[in-house]
Amino acid sequence: MAGRPVCVYMLEKKPEIVVAVDGCGGDRGSKHIVNAVNFALTLYPYMRLIICGPVSLQEELNHGRIDGKRVEFRLSGQAIPQDAPVNEVLERYQKSSMRLALQAVQSGEAQAMVSAGGTGPLVVLARHLLGEIGHLRPALVARIPAGPGRHALMLDLGANAQSTAQDLADFARLGDAAARLMLGLESPRLALLNVGTEEQKGSHVVLEAKSLLDNARELNFCGFIEADRIFRGDADVVVADGFAGNIALKAAEGVYTIFSKVPGIKRVFARLAHPDWLMPWQYNGSVLLGVNGNVIKSHANAGDDAFAVAMVEAAKAAELDLANGMRDILTHAGA
Amino acid sequence: MAGRPVCVYMLEKKPEIVVAVDGCGGDRGSKHIVNAVNFALTLYPYMRLIICGPVSLQEELNHGRIDGKRVEFRLSGQAIPQDAPVNEVLERYQKSSMRLALQAVQSGEAQAMVSAGGTGPLVVLARHLLGEIGHLRPALVARIPAGPGRHALMLDLGANAQSTAQDLADFARLGDAAARLMLGLESPRLALLNVGTEEQKGSHVVLEAKSLLDNARELNFCGFIEADRIFRGDADVVVADGFAGNIALKAAEGVYTIFSKVPGIKRVFARLAHPDWLMPWQYNGSVLLGVNGNVIKSHANAGDDAFAVAMVEAAKAAELDLANGMRDILTHAGA
């Protein structure tokens, strides 16, 4: 599955997938969402969308020549600010578009949801409405490039502001199950992100997590990995705390962007073997693992293409029946 | 100073600088060190080297057509392993090449030293032999690219395995003084590396450090910066804990390396406006700030070119009289 280009979805007959979209999150407004919806519906012809958002979005959708049979609109004028305090999220935003989209998953009307809203609110609401799998701490995972046509997974990408050694060990278990399902691997190679590969190097948390994982015989844990190797395919799952994971990916994205803006480079890359497998917009949409439902987080500032890719990621998670598959694997493993 | 290409040092008349070199650290052996020495002496004609290392290195130097007037050799067969436990470093490695090179700075024979040995041992020995400036926690700083012909500074790059909020505030003070001296700025813009720029986002440590820095009126503190902006010149000094800082730079380096290995790309870049200001080997050699002497850490796996650049960084630190300048600024500021 992973590794094939997005357009493959146009060639295969698939069962219909319903994805709920939080139409309030994100920095770019209604017009951007309409463009993204159009693009996503083209990329994935077997997807229907339930879009939750304000009147302005409804009007844009009406003007946007969207196929009415494939889009249902649900009105919600309430947006949750990106940085809403966690303790207010449950009480104060009962009618928010994010909550509405999650409720569509909870009720079974949608098989997945996607939001470009704040990570904090999304994680709190998803845990509350959908419940957790076992006793594992939920984490955001994303496919990352690992060579031409190859992917790895990386987590946590920011579901948790700080992590203990036990949290990192939880992320490894989540990542292991996710790699079996998302990458089709039988025994995914797990590695822990660190500042060196020597036994004694790193923070206390990372060193303690390593000793927990060294003792987890059921996992294929291969030790530490440094940040310059994460895109090399040295590991199938890169485990990091949400702070370091986020910083590694954003730093990589920053360099990619600088390269891609060199004048004339796109033309040149088109002729050469352009490493387009690195292209960040292909990788928008991280999955919140460890909750009973397929929840996808998009970058808040994702462009039209990237937000559409996040919707497709949601459809792919639904198609894999990811959350249920995770629960089966992890319950079997006694998480 | 920063921003000029390395070769400018061949055109200016400068006072002679003596740099001590730890000839044991690093992963690449004696032949590599001899190549690097030759390259460094060419790059910086006003540098003399005191090279501390084993007999095998002495023999390689004798065979390597090195200008004998510009190199003095000091024999030390003892190497400190990269991951030597901190508590053993002071007791057990009294005759090590790293210690010998630091002692050359301590005695005033050399104005700077460079080592590709382990960061832990280097920091412990440097603090012990040279002493600290004020009550600030020492940190590794490096110039990072911030656009064509522009640089910023980033610290800590791994002198500390974990950091408190107060440590981060210390790093900001060290970075501020260093940017005045190394970048020639009057009021360097400081930013704290975080996973978002919103007020409430991030780890407890980062949020607490921000509130300490918001109250430090003598500093030009501009708030948070995300990892995808660190090479954009948005800040003159990027402050991070050693774990996150190391991971950000290595992730960036990883992406750069992938791009630079695309077949044919070098030829193409030579014709285009190649963003060679990003090139990692140009940036080898981070300075240990906060000790009374100019101590430069090279990557352990630096190639010949990169290790030579670290020697030139040492010479530049000496030329700036960096450690003394730092002490003057920070003592004046009451650190």
Side-chain angles (χ1 to χ4, degrees):
Chain A
M1 173 73 51
R4 294 194 208 154
V6 171
C7 57
V8 86
Y9 290 92
M10 300 185 67
L11 307 173
E12 296 172 23
K13 179 74 189 155
K14 308 228 176 180
E16 189 185 66
I17 299 285
V18 181
V19 171
V21 177
D22 169 11
C24 275
D27 302 340
R28 296 200 188 205
S30 297
K31 190 152 181 61
H32 145 68
I33 293 174
V34 175
N35 291 341
V37 163
N38 258 328
F39 188 30
L41 292 175
T42 309
L43 284 173
Y44 203 102
Y46 305 100
M47 175 161 58
R48 253 194 335 115
L49 298 174
I50 297 173
I51 301 177
C52 312
V55 176
S56 61
L57 178 56
Q58 188 171 24
E59 286 165 359
E60 286 282 357
L61 284 166
N62 289 338
H63 290 116
R65 278 183 273 174
I66 304 274
D67 179 353
K69 287 182 211 135
R70 296 181 62 194
V71 170
E72 176 191 336
F73 187 79
R74 296 189 180 174
L75 191 66
S76 159
Q78 196 181 36
I80 309 182
Q82 288 268 345
D83 56 351
V86 166
N87 53 357
E88 288 185 6
V89 171
L90 295 182
E91 304 282 311
R92 204 168 145 184
Y93 299 100
Q94 300 271 350
K95 302 283 180 200
S96 62
S97 57
M98 186 190 280
R99 188 164 183 142
L100 234 59
L102 281 164
Q103 281 169 333
V105 174
Q106 189 185 19
S107 67
E109 294 166 284
Q111 290 111 292
M113 75 81 78
V114 58
S115 173
T119 307
L122 184 63
V123 173
V124 169
L125 271 177
R127 290 172 75 170
H128 175 73
L129 293 173
L130 305 177
E132 291 167 24
I133 297 177
H135 300 289
L136 300 173
R137 178 167 283 269
L140 281 167
V141 73
R143 285 185 305 131
I144 58 170
R150 293 181 59 196
H151 295 105
L153 299 181
M154 184 159 166
L155 78 170
D156 174 33
L157 299 178
N160 306 280
Q162 45 252 315
S163 301
T164 64
Q166 184 57 54
D167 293 339
L168 291 174
D170 284 3
F171 302 161
R173 280 175 215 283
L174 290 169
D176 174 68
R180 289 168 197 269
L181 296 164
M182 295 170 72
L183 305 179
L185 300 172
E186 272 184 37
S187 178
R189 295 162 302 148
L190 311 175
L192 197 54
L193 186 63
N194 195 7
V195 296
T197 51
E198 301 91 342
E199 287 286 316
Q200 307 210 22
K201 208 161 174 178
S203 67
H204 290 320
V205 172
V206 164
L207 294 173
E208 197 187 324
K210 179 174 182 297
S211 89
L212 290 174
L213 288 168
D214 280 336
N215 291 321
R217 295 295 156 94
E218 69 283 13
L219 299 176
N220 183 6
F221 175 60
C222 306
F224 294 134
I225 187 169
E226 292 187 73
D228 56 346
R229 306 294 306 176
I230 55 184
F231 306 113
R232 293 303 186 94
D234 290 9
D236 300 311
V237 180
V238 177
V239 177
D241 71 274
F243 197 87
N246 180 299
I247 278 168
L249 282 203
K250 285 208 184 123
E253 214 175 296
V255 172
Y256 183 94
T257 307
I258 290 168
F259 266 100
S260 66
K261 286 188 177 158
V262 171
I265 206 156
K266 276 186 190 157
R267 201 161 23 85
V268 174
F269 273 162
R271 286 208 310 272
L272 289 170
H274 175 201
D276 59 2
W277 51 275
L278 267 173
M279 206 150 56
W281 73 260
Q282 290 190 53
Y283 298 94
N284 188 36
S286 44
V287 182
L288 183 63
L289 298 178
V291 295
N292 288 306
N294 298 312
V295 174
I296 278 73
K297 165 83 177 88
S298 162
H299 274 271
N301 60 0
D304 301 351
D305 294 355
F307 195 44
V309 166
M311 294 181 207
V312 171
E313 287 290 333
K316 284 156 80 176
E319 198 185 296
L320 285 171
D321 198 13
L322 185 63
N324 286 329
M326 293 284 296
R327 194 177 48 240
D328 289 347
I329 293 174
L330 292 165
T331 311
H332 183 75
Chain B
M1 173 71 55
R4 293 195 208 155
V6 171
C7 58
V8 86
Y9 290 92
M10 300 184 66
L11 306 172
E12 295 173 23
K13 180 74 189 155
K14 307 231 175 177
E16 188 185 67
I17 299 285
V18 181
V19 171
V21 177
D22 169 11
C24 276
D27 302 341
R28 298 203 186 204
S30 296
K31 189 154 180 60
H32 146 68
I33 294 174
V34 174
N35 290 340
V37 163
N38 257 328
F39 187 30
L41 292 176
T42 308
L43 284 173
Y44 202 102
Y46 305 100
M47 174 161 58
R48 252 192 337 114
L49 299 174
I50 297 174
I51 301 177
C52 312
V55 175
S56 61
L57 176 57
Q58 187 171 25
E59 286 166 358
E60 285 282 359
L61 284 166
N62 288 339
H63 290 115
R65 278 183 273 174
I66 304 274
D67 179 353
K69 285 182 212 136
R70 297 181 61 195
V71 170
E72 176 190 337
F73 187 80
R74 295 188 182 175
L75 190 67
S76 159
Q78 196 181 36
I80 309 183
Q82 288 266 347
D83 56 351
V86 166
N87 53 357
E88 287 185 6
V89 170
L90 295 181
E91 304 281 309
R92 201 167 145 184
Y93 300 99
Q94 300 270 349
K95 301 285 181 198
S96 63
S97 56
M98 185 191 280
R99 187 164 185 143
L100 233 62
L102 281 164
Q103 281 170 333
V105 174
Q106 187 185 21
S107 67
E109 293 167 285
Q111 290 113 291
M113 75 82 78
V114 59
S115 173
T119 306
L122 184 63
V123 173
V124 169
L125 271 176
R127 290 172 77 170
H128 175 74
L129 292 173
L130 304 176
E132 291 167 25
I133 297 176
H135 300 288
L136 300 174
R137 176 168 283 269
L140 280 167
V141 74
R143 285 185 304 131
I144 59 170
R150 294 181 59 197
H151 296 104
L153 299 182
M154 185 160 167
L155 78 168
D156 174 32
L157 298 177
N160 306 280
Q162 44 253 316
S163 301
T164 64
Q166 185 57 54
D167 293 340
L168 291 174
D170 284 3
F171 302 161
R173 281 175 214 284
L174 289 169
D176 173 69
R180 289 167 197 268
L181 296 164
M182 293 171 74
L183 305 180
L185 300 173
E186 272 183 38
S187 179
R189 296 163 301 150
L190 311 176
L192 197 53
L193 186 63
N194 196 6
V195 296
T197 52
E198 301 91 343
E199 286 286 316
Q200 306 209 25
K201 207 161 177 179
S203 67
H204 290 321
V205 171
V206 164
L207 294 173
E208 196 187 325
K210 178 174 184 296
S211 90
L212 290 173
L213 289 168
D214 279 336
N215 290 320
R217 296 296 156 95
E218 69 283 14
L219 299 176
N220 182 7
F221 175 61
C222 306
F224 293 134
I225 187 169
E226 292 188 73
D228 56 345
R229 307 293 307 175
I230 54 183
F231 305 113
R232 293 302 186 94
D234 290 9
D236 300 312
V237 180
V238 177
V239 177
D241 71 273
F243 197 86
N246 179 299
I247 278 169
L249 283 202
K250 283 208 184 124
E253 215 175 295
V255 173
Y256 183 94
T257 307
I258 290 168
F259 266 101
S260 66
K261 286 187 178 160
V262 172
I265 206 156
K266 276 187 191 157
R267 201 162 22 87
V268 174
F269 273 163
R271 287 207 311 271
L272 289 170
H274 175 201
D276 59 1
W277 51 275
L278 269 172
M279 205 151 56
W281 73 261
Q282 290 190 53
Y283 297 94
N284 188 37
S286 44
V287 182
L288 182 63
L289 297 178
V291 295
N292 287 307
N294 298 312
V295 174
I296 278 74
K297 164 82 177 89
S298 163
H299 273 271
N301 59 0
D304 300 352
D305 293 356
F307 194 44
V309 167
M311 294 182 207
V312 171
E313 285 292 332
K316 284 156 80 176
E319 199 184 293
L320 285 171
D321 200 12
L322 185 62
N324 286 329
M326 293 283 296
R327 193 176 50 239
D328 289 348
I329 293 174
L330 292 165
T331 311
H332 184 75

